[in-house]
Amino acid sequence: MVRYVRADRGTRVSMRQAVRVRWGWVRLARMAGLTVTDKTPGLLAQITAQKDGPAPAPRVLTPKIKVKPDRFGVIVRARTLPRVGLEEYQKAARFLADAWRCTRVSVLPDGPGRVVIRGVRSDPLTTPTEHRPTGRPPEDVARWELGVDEYAAPVCVSLANVPGVTVAGTPGAGKTSAVNKFVCDLAPSAAVQIVGFDGKVSRASEGDYADLVKRMFAFCGDDLDEANALFKRLVALRRRRSSVIRDVLGVKNMWHVGPSPEWPFTVVLVDEAHTFFREYKGSDAETKRLAALTVENARLVEDLVKKGRSVGILTILISQKTTGDAIPTFVRDVCPVGLSFAQKTVEAAVAALGDDIRNWPDASPVTLQDPAYVGVAVMAMQGRPGFTRTILLPALQRAVSRPRTPFYGAFTQTFT
């Protein structure tokens, strides 16, 4: 009763729903085909049965369950039985959703002989959310906590040994908010250093990174000459790190010992990446000069993506479309992690997530064009088949608008 009184409105509804699930489970399991008939009498029935009497009636076994409510619905952990395993539970998921009055139900393995059934009453993808940074250094700087999936389960991505990430989506779909949250969470750690490129502004104060630029050791806008010079500095950093990593860390791969203030995890953010890679066509001298700069930019970023993983450099490329004309394929296809917000065409979704997205039409980012799905991205989860739809929690940027001294602790060490 105390938990019920202290809970929010959504959790109270889920608590009442959990009571109905427990009380109606035996009957529902029989109707859904999740029971098994055991014709072998138990030990007590064998002892009490008369020698010449009728045989004991067969027993109907029902899986045991444990139900836990939360603000979105219920989490049911159930046992399996002979001939009632994971596949049978998955086939019965739609019947369970109707009986429990849930929007959707998923069934996943929960260890040997167990399954976890997740039923959500309200859609987490359309529920307004926010993320308030704690201001404390994260325990694992290589862990990107994106948000929650369509079953309200936490979604995170490991960035250790990841050379690059691509983020795609239509304007206003949530790309920059997702990156801002990422920066806000990592900002308190001196073991992380950040450099920013924003191809849609001339100065940092004009764009979405105005509150975050103080945390970056370098930043440039859409000026191709300035961007080219900064890319060259980053490549020089990569080469310097590669040449001294054995002497400084004693290993060939930085991730074997992890980031530190002396050897920080360097994150390169390239927003509106197509600005720095676009193909200029023309015969005049200025056009030829700009074309040469973009070609060299692509070559420099290729160096960072293909050779920066082991020395702790991560490149995040953000663009509306990650097709070959926006991000060169020899750079895009090397990035193992890809996120896509809403897209208008299947071709754009394939460019962002790979050709396998055609086999998962329900998870395609083309279905996210409704305004209710702003902030929802599709990605291939590490170690899980298929694709997952995730709502990325927007960060409150004012939490880092006034950086403290520890934020600047290793700025000068990055290029030494």
Side-chain angles (χ1 to χ4, degrees):
M1 181 60 68
V2 172
R3 290 196 299 268
Y4 184 83
V5 172
R6 297 180 62 182
D8 57 73
R9 181 178 180 182
T11 305
R12 290 181 182 180
V13 176
S14 297
M15 293 174 75
R16 296 193 296 269
Q17 181 185 20
V19 172
R20 294 194 302 269
V21 170
R22 293 191 192 98
W23 287 357
W25 172 247
V26 174
R27 182 181 179 185
L28 177 61
R30 292 181 178 180
M31 292 189 294
L34 297 178
T35 59
V36 63
T37 301
D38 186 2
K39 298 182 179 180
T40 303
L43 179 60
L44 182 61
Q46 294 180 25
I47 294 175
T48 58
Q50 298 181 4
K51 185 176 181 180
D52 298 329
R59 297 176 297 163
V60 178
L61 304 181
T62 304
K64 296 181 179 181
I65 64 170
K66 293 183 179 180
V67 187
K68 180 180 178 181
D70 61 17
R71 60 178 296 208
F72 293 104
V74 292
I75 301 174
V76 180
R77 301 186 184 278
R79 293 279 184 177
T80 61
L81 295 172
R83 301 180 65 182
V84 180
L86 175 64
E87 185 177 351
E88 285 68 31
Y89 278 103
Q90 291 175 339
K91 290 180 180 179
R94 59 191 182 97
F95 303 117
L96 300 179
D98 293 337
W100 294 346
R101 301 174 186 175
C102 291
T103 303
R104 63 176 71 93
V105 167
S106 73
V107 182
L108 296 173
D110 192 35
R114 297 189 302 270
V115 297
V116 57
I117 308 171
R118 176 53 164 158
V120 290
R121 185 184 60 261
S122 57
D123 191 352
L125 299 181
T126 59
T127 302
T129 57
E130 69 176 25
H131 172 72
R132 188 177 298 275
T134 63
R136 295 187 295 270
E139 296 181 1
D140 184 3
V141 297
R143 180 185 177 91
W144 188 0
E145 296 182 356
L146 293 169
V148 296
D149 65 8
E150 53 195 324
Y151 297 100
V155 177
C156 63
V157 176
S158 175
L159 299 177
N161 278 303
V162 172
V165 177
T166 59
V167 182
T170 56
K175 303 184 298 297
T176 303
S177 294
V179 176
N180 283 348
K181 173 188 177 298
F182 177 62
V183 174
C184 288
D185 288 340
L186 296 184
S189 176
V192 179
Q193 296 302 325
I194 305 165
V195 56
F197 297 79
D198 192 350
K200 60 179 178 292
V201 298
S202 299
R203 295 184 298 272
S205 58
E206 301 174 355
D208 299 313
Y209 299 98
D211 295 330
L212 305 179
V213 70
K214 297 177 183 179
R215 179 56 179 88
M216 300 179 182
F217 66 80
F219 181 90
C220 77
D222 57 0
D223 188 282
L224 291 183
D225 293 291
E226 183 181 355
N228 183 260
L230 187 51
F231 281 135
K232 288 180 179 179
R233 291 175 61 191
L234 292 172
V235 171
L237 168 65
R238 197 279 307 163
R239 291 174 177 170
R240 175 62 176 165
R241 284 190 169 191
S242 298
S243 65
V244 302
I245 186 170
R246 278 183 175 271
D247 299 331
V248 177
L249 300 181
V251 294
K252 296 187 298 183
N253 190 332
M254 184 275 289
W255 294 107
H256 292 167
V257 296
S260 65
E262 292 73 24
W263 195 287
F265 178 35
T266 303
V267 179
V268 182
L269 301 176
V270 187
D271 202 346
E272 301 295 336
H274 53 271
T275 302
F276 309 103
F277 306 135
R278 61 170 293 187
E279 182 180 356
Y280 286 86
K281 296 181 179 181
S283 57
D284 59 285
E286 180 63 15
T287 300
K288 290 182 178 180
R289 188 183 71 84
L290 294 177
L293 284 175
T294 57
V295 171
E296 187 176 17
N297 287 343
R299 179 183 61 82
L300 295 171
V301 173
E302 180 187 15
D303 181 282
L304 293 175
V305 174
K306 291 185 176 181
K307 302 178 182 179
R309 174 187 59 85
S310 60
V311 296
I313 297 178
L314 170 70
T315 304
I316 300 180
L317 302 169
I318 310 160
S319 182
Q320 297 175 14
K321 295 194 304 179
T322 54
T323 50
D325 57 338
I327 299 178
T329 55
F330 55 81
V331 174
R332 181 197 67 190
D333 294 344
V334 183
C335 300
V337 177
L339 286 78
S340 178
F341 292 83
Q343 296 284 5
K344 286 189 175 182
T345 64
V346 177
E347 290 72 20
V350 171
L353 300 171
D355 195 65
D356 192 37
I357 191 62
R358 299 181 188 272
N359 301 325
W360 304 83
D362 293 339
S364 175
V366 178
T367 63
L368 302 178
Q369 299 183 55
D370 191 288
Y373 290 110
V374 172
V376 178
V378 179
M379 64 176 300
M381 285 295 296
Q382 298 167 333
R384 184 188 301 181
F387 294 84
T388 300
R389 296 189 297 174
T390 305
I391 180 168
L392 282 76
L393 307 180
L396 300 180
Q397 297 182 21
R398 61 177 177 272
V400 296
S401 60
R402 296 180 180 177
R404 299 181 179 179
T405 302
F407 288 2
Y408 298 94
F411 279 7
T412 58
Q413 299 176 7
T414 304
F415 284 112
T416 57

